[in-house]
Amino acid sequence: MRLKTSLLKEPKHRELVSCIGWTTADELYSCSEDHQILRWNLLTSETSLVVKVPEDFYPIDVHWFPKTVGGKKQTPAEIFVLTSTDAGEDGQIKNWSKSGMLRSTLANQGSPVYSVAWGPDSERILYTSGRHLVIKPLQLSAKVIQWKAHDGVILKVDWNSVNDLILSGGEDCKYKVWDSFGRLLYFSLSHDYPVTSLSWAPDGEVFAVGSFNTLRLCDKTGWSYALEKPNTGSVFSLAWSADGTQVAGACGNGHVIFANVVEQHWEWNNFMITLTKRKTMQVRNVMNDAVDVLEFRDRVIKASLAFGHLVVATSLQCYIYNTRNWNTPLIFDLKEGTVSLILQAERHALLVDGAGLYIFSYEGRLISSPKFPGMRADILNAQCVSLSNDTIAIRDKSDEKVILLFDALTGKPLCDGKSLTHKLEVVEIALDQCGPSTERKIALIDKNRDLYLTSVRYLGREPKICKIGSMIHSMAWNNVANILCGVQDNQLTVWYYPSAVFIDKELLPKTLYIKDGSEFSLTPHILSYVDTKVRLRQRDGSLLYTSVPPYAVLLHEYSSSAHWEDALRLCRFAKEQSLWACLAAMAIANKELTTAEMAYAAIRELPRVHYINFIKQQPSKESSLAHLLLFSGQVQEAEATLLQAGLIYQAIQVNIDLFNWERALELAVKHKTHVDTVLAYREKFLQTFGRKETNKRFLQYAQGVEVDWEKIQAKIEMELSKEREKAANASVRSSLAQRR
């Protein structure tokens, strides 16, 4: 990615340009110390004088209202606020109404305020105070955050509403990236000249930095994409167009510099795509070195390449290409605004613009458009939105512990409108991409950098949210199997079968593939996990590719198609404990006990082998299923299964075996059977530990119930015999029905 800059031969202003502002994606206003405000039309390349301000008025900043969203139906901003050199010099920050009425004085300090920025929620402001940065909430009772940020006076700050990150630059010739708690995420080396301007792109993915004869394009993590050295003098102000495709700079020599973002790259399998010009893409097939050139009517704003399709959003239209045919794209008009985000799943794509979210099929058909109260589509990014074939997940910006879930095909909320709520703020979410919708899982990273997994579609009780990792910096699901990879501390960790945490929690650590981080820089960021290839971006901006063994993908394929013999052969061939552990969990999940027994034996889990044999010896399918549920820790589900099948004694015995004494007695009393059995086992349990009964309910029933072990054993044997007989009769009826 780089900036393609353009300057007029002669400057239009006679003095330095102090500030600039976009009204649309093709129109810009500039203010200068020559007291002129000029309008720049980029479509016609014309410049015209708008107004000349008084001789004693020296503008330093301009902001337009409302902020434009671009696109076909854009309404140009009509009101702007212009500040002069005396603003901020008194150390005061004031809040004004649109009509010019003073609402409040937010800050009053002894030193000048050189820069101020609104927080993403418009409930906080960020401002400079010498070498310090201050975040001040508008609520008087809320805590103010202040910290020393630079070794010189801070000249410029910006706060992005999408990624919630802060930029600062100053006279120490450095720029820095902070989170909203004041923690330093990146600091640049000391450059030749003070940093006089900086600005986030609207989507928060990149930012621009201006200095003397210098314009720099940087990634949101801080490293530099490109450096331009135009003859501009100091760049005092930077402003991005609403679509994020171009940035303009106010220059010290009277020029206004324009720069377009080009040479963006997208990769998928054997295709590499490059934005060579504003309206042109080049497609290269690295397998045969074939090259295709894609031309567009309007400038390209966003693009995404995944699942065999390229989705390109221009300022007015959307183009969908199949990677098997680059000649005939499907084209449809965009109704509202500039597309700020594109996500893809195997069957469809999600487009986000200022007005909402839209799911389109790869045939260009609008499938759904989910909506929810307080929706702000303009601040959504790839970390807080995730898409699969059947589900959309969105982190709620108003409460970052909450994840909203929607059906991708209807746009309606899932689970009767119940949202998923985590105990801490969530920073990243990702839906798995494969398997049936009923088994859809979501992985989430919270602010403690712990990784959790849970189900998104459920009936009745809310699913467990299970922790599967800690110190996770980024993650990605595989495109062809539900395998998850993550950068964990200083290594790459791959969860071959994350769902094992719901089946056998102790098995999960054995299903991991861990790659030493010696080849990585500190905490690289995962870009994609396609087939067996993981693509990462290092802290210095360099790309790194690493591979994962292909066996786990094959194992998922064999499991989903119930080819258990093939799965066993694969594990014997690979001779990896992680694969055997995966196979054990997969087999239990699919009730394939023979395969599970062999897999557990291969990893020397003998207690589980014995328990599986015990399950296989159960007198009925219902009992086997209940004990399988117990195997996975689903006690209530196991009990419900037995009660539904009329196996009251077995439900009571399950609670006795788990020492759930009060529940066992409750069931026995409710169904008027085996009260003596519960009392007998309770008495035996207490005698083992040399203790006396203290529970009032047990003391009450012990007075009126005789405990006779011979009678109890006879009753138990009769219950088991009835269950075997019932199961045998059901089997006979089933076979007769099949013959008919």
Side-chain angles (χ1 to χ4, degrees):
M1 190 184 296
R2 70 176 182 88
L3 291 172
K4 185 178 180 181
T5 60
S6 61
L7 277 173
L8 296 176
K9 288 183 179 180
E10 296 295 330
K12 293 290 184 179
H13 287 283
R14 297 190 302 273
E15 302 288 341
L16 71 82
V17 183
S18 56
C19 51
I20 48 177
W22 297 86
T23 55
T24 70
D26 298 302
E27 186 179 77
L28 177 124
Y29 283 62
S30 62
C31 308
S32 166
E33 290 192 355
D34 63 6
H35 311 292
Q36 294 186 110
I37 298 178
L38 301 183
R39 180 192 293 117
W40 301 70
N41 189 317
L42 274 61
L43 295 176
T44 62
S45 301
E46 294 178 353
T47 309
S48 57
L49 176 65
V50 178
V51 67
K52 193 161 185 175
V53 296
E55 291 293 324
D56 60 346
F57 185 93
Y58 291 89
I60 57 170
D61 208 354
V62 63
H63 285 273
W64 285 89
F65 180 85
K67 287 186 175 180
T68 56
V69 293
K72 192 187 323 186
K73 294 189 178 180
Q74 64 179 324
T75 303
E78 295 177 349
I79 303 172
F80 68 90
V81 58
L82 188 64
T83 59
S84 65
T85 48
D86 57 346
E89 290 284 346
D90 58 1
Q92 294 187 359
I93 300 174
K94 298 180 178 181
N95 188 10
W96 303 82
S97 70
K98 197 166 66 173
S99 60
M101 296 289 290
L102 178 63
R103 287 181 173 173
S104 62
T105 300
L106 302 176
N108 193 349
Q109 60 181 32
S111 59
V113 177
Y114 288 119
S115 186
V116 65
W118 283 103
D121 53 7
S122 297
E123 296 293 328
R124 296 167 291 170
I125 57 165
L126 165 72
Y127 63 91
T128 66
S129 177
R131 301 178 179 186
H132 292 76
L133 288 178
V134 183
I135 296 177
K136 181 177 176 60
L138 300 189
Q139 290 183 345
L140 297 176
S141 58
K143 183 182 177 183
V144 175
I145 303 173
Q146 179 173 338
W147 70 97
K148 183 184 176 184
H150 287 261
D151 294 326
V153 173
I154 302 168
L155 300 175
K156 196 68 177 176
V157 293
D158 196 13
W159 196 345
N160 187 260
S161 61
V162 177
N163 61 30
D164 200 25
L165 297 180
I166 291 168
L167 291 176
S168 64
E171 290 186 347
D172 60 358
C173 306
K174 296 178 182 178
Y175 65 86
K176 299 184 180 183
V177 183
W178 312 83
D179 68 10
S180 57
F181 299 99
R183 291 180 295 210
L184 182 62
L185 304 179
Y186 179 87
F187 65 92
S188 70
L189 298 174
S190 184
H191 297 122
D192 297 333
Y193 301 99
V195 173
T196 50
S197 58
L198 40 76
S199 179
W200 281 109
D203 64 3
E205 291 299 313
V206 294
F207 61 89
V209 179
S211 185
F212 181 78
N213 284 352
T214 303
L215 184 59
R216 189 183 296 270
L217 179 67
C218 303
D219 184 77
K220 65 182 176 183
T221 54
W223 57 270
S224 181
Y225 273 113
L227 175 65
E228 297 293 328
K229 288 286 190 178
N231 183 23
T232 57
S234 292
V235 180
F236 288 107
S237 178
L238 289 167
W240 287 86
S241 60
D243 58 18
T245 61
Q246 52 194 333
V247 62
C251 307
N253 60 3
H255 275 291
V256 173
I257 186 171
F258 295 93
N260 293 299
V261 179
V262 294
E263 292 190 14
Q264 291 171 269
H265 298 281
W266 297 267
E267 291 184 27
W268 177 265
N269 284 343
N270 52 308
F271 291 102
M272 181 176 286
I273 296 179
T274 304
L275 181 67
T276 54
K277 298 178 183 177
R278 297 176 67 192
K279 302 178 182 179
T280 307
M281 281 181 161
Q282 183 189 80
V283 180
R284 182 178 295 277
N285 187 334
V286 297
M287 298 289 285
N288 55 19
D289 217 27
V291 175
D292 289 276
V293 176
L294 311 179
E295 300 280 355
F296 303 95
R297 190 184 71 183
D298 308 294
R299 64 180 174 278
V300 173
I301 293 172
K302 282 286 174 184
S304 176
L305 176 63
F307 296 100
H309 291 87
L310 170 68
V311 182
V312 180
T314 68
S315 54
L316 297 176
Q317 294 178 310
C318 182
Y319 296 71
I320 299 177
Y321 293 86
N322 191 306
T323 55
R324 294 191 296 269
N325 181 6
W326 297 105
N327 297 320
T328 54
L330 191 141
I331 307 170
F332 58 90
D333 292 339
L334 294 170
K335 295 180 179 179
E336 296 283 348
T338 297
V339 172
S340 58
L341 178 66
I342 302 175
L343 297 178
Q344 289 180 255
E346 183 186 7
R347 296 177 192 162
H348 38 242
L350 169 69
L351 273 64
V352 179
D353 64 20
L357 296 82
Y358 310 93
I359 305 290
F360 287 95
S361 70
Y362 289 122
E363 291 75 41
R365 180 172 57 87
L366 178 63
I367 297 174
S368 66
S369 179
K371 290 180 172 57
F372 55 93
M375 181 174 73
R376 281 192 60 192
D378 58 318
I379 60 173
L380 297 177
N381 62 16
Q383 282 69 50
C384 64
V385 185
S386 187
L387 174 71
S388 72
N389 284 336
D390 44 64
T391 308
I392 307 165
I394 303 170
R395 188 196 64 192
D396 191 346
K397 186 65 178 177
S398 62
D399 183 356
E400 295 186 349
K401 297 177 184 177
V402 174
I403 299 169
L404 307 171
L405 302 168
F406 300 90
D407 189 303
L409 302 181
T410 64
K412 295 179 180 178
L414 292 177
C415 310
D416 298 324
K418 292 180 183 176
S419 54
L420 184 66
T421 304
H422 188 49
K423 58 186 177 182
L424 291 174
E425 287 81 2
V426 176
V427 296
E428 186 174 350
I429 59 176
L431 290 162
D432 63 14
Q433 298 296 310
C434 304
S437 61
T438 52
E439 297 176 10
R440 185 69 55 232
K441 304 290 191 300
I442 186 171
L444 59 94
I445 301 173
D446 65 20
K447 72 173 186 179
N448 284 351
R449 290 290 160 186
D450 291 329
L451 176 62
Y452 290 82
L453 189 73
T454 188
S455 298
V456 299
R457 292 171 180 255
Y458 56 90
L459 295 172
R461 288 180 60 225
E462 291 188 17
K464 291 187 292 184
I465 302 178
C466 296
K467 181 178 174 180
I468 62 172
S470 56
M471 295 297 291
I472 308 297
H473 300 283
S474 61
M475 62 175 173
W477 287 98
N478 186 260
N479 64 311
V480 293
N482 287 335
I483 303 172
L484 182 67
C485 74
V487 174
Q488 185 172 29
D489 203 5
N490 61 345
Q491 65 191 22
L492 180 72
T493 302
V494 181
W495 288 262
Y496 278 160
Y497 189 51
S499 294
V501 72
F502 304 115
I503 298 158
D504 185 348
K505 200 169 186 176
E506 293 177 17
L507 199 61
L508 183 69
K510 296 183 179 181
T511 66
L512 304 183
Y513 170 78
I514 296 174
K515 200 155 194 173
D516 178 43
S518 58
E519 61 183 292
F520 310 142
S521 65
L522 186 65
T523 59
H525 179 78
I526 297 174
L527 298 177
S528 64
Y529 180 16
V530 179
D531 296 334
T532 61
K533 185 173 70 175
V534 180
R535 187 163 62 104
L536 305 104
R537 177 80 72 178
Q538 304 211 80
R539 288 288 292 271
D540 61 0
S542 60
L543 285 173
L544 179 69
Y545 298 84
T546 189
S547 61
V548 176
Y551 303 124
V553 171
L554 288 170
L555 195 61
H556 275 269
E557 187 180 319
Y558 291 146
S559 169
S560 61
S561 57
H563 291 167
W564 299 108
E565 286 297 325
D566 291 333
L568 286 167
R569 277 195 291 271
L570 176 66
C571 291
R572 290 179 186 128
F573 171 78
K575 298 177 182 176
E576 289 184 16
Q577 178 177 275
S578 57
L579 291 180
W580 281 113
C582 287
L583 180 59
M586 290 172 177
I588 289 291
N590 287 276
K591 306 179 184 62
E592 179 60 37
L593 297 182
T594 302
T595 304
E597 184 181 357
M598 296 171 73
Y600 274 114
I603 55 176
R604 294 181 171 82
E605 289 283 353
L606 296 184
R608 285 168 169 75
V609 173
H610 292 316
Y611 193 74
I612 290 169
N613 269 317
F614 169 72
I615 293 172
K616 290 165 75 174
Q617 292 166 9
Q618 290 301 302
S620 68
K621 288 181 180 178
E622 291 81 5
S623 283
S624 295
L625 176 58
H627 283 282
L628 265 175
L629 291 167
L630 283 174
F631 188 96
S632 302
Q634 301 177 60
V635 178
Q636 290 181 324
E637 290 83 351
E639 181 191 287
T641 299
L642 292 169
L643 292 174
Q644 192 173 357
L647 302 174
I648 309 302
Y649 159 68
Q650 286 82 347
I652 294 169
Q653 189 64 49
V654 160
N655 283 285
I656 291 172
D657 293 341
L658 294 172
F659 308 117
N660 293 337
W661 297 110
E662 292 196 7
R663 178 59 179 165
L665 183 60
E666 182 186 335
L667 287 173
V669 171
K670 180 180 178 180
H671 295 279
K672 299 177 182 177
T673 182
H674 286 283
V675 175
D676 55 343
T677 305
V678 177
L679 294 173
Y681 277 104
R682 171 77 171 182
E683 184 182 328
K684 188 177 180 182
F685 169 76
L686 292 172
Q687 286 174 358
T688 303
F689 293 96
R691 296 174 64 183
K692 291 186 177 180
E693 184 61 76
T694 57
N695 188 299
K696 291 181 180 179
R697 288 200 71 197
F698 279 90
L699 289 170
Q700 175 190 341
Y701 284 102
Q703 292 175 0
V705 177
E706 180 189 356
V707 173
D708 185 334
W709 272 106
E710 286 187 10
K711 289 183 179 178
I712 290 169
Q713 292 292 354
K715 276 203 300 184
I716 291 172
E717 186 53 46
M718 187 175 71
E719 292 277 7
L720 295 175
S721 177
K722 280 165 57 180
E723 185 181 354
R724 290 189 195 97
E725 185 179 341
K726 185 179 177 182
N729 290 337
S731 178
V732 170
R733 286 195 299 271
S734 176
S735 61
L736 287 173
Q738 286 176 0
R739 287 177 188 173
R740 288 174 188 168

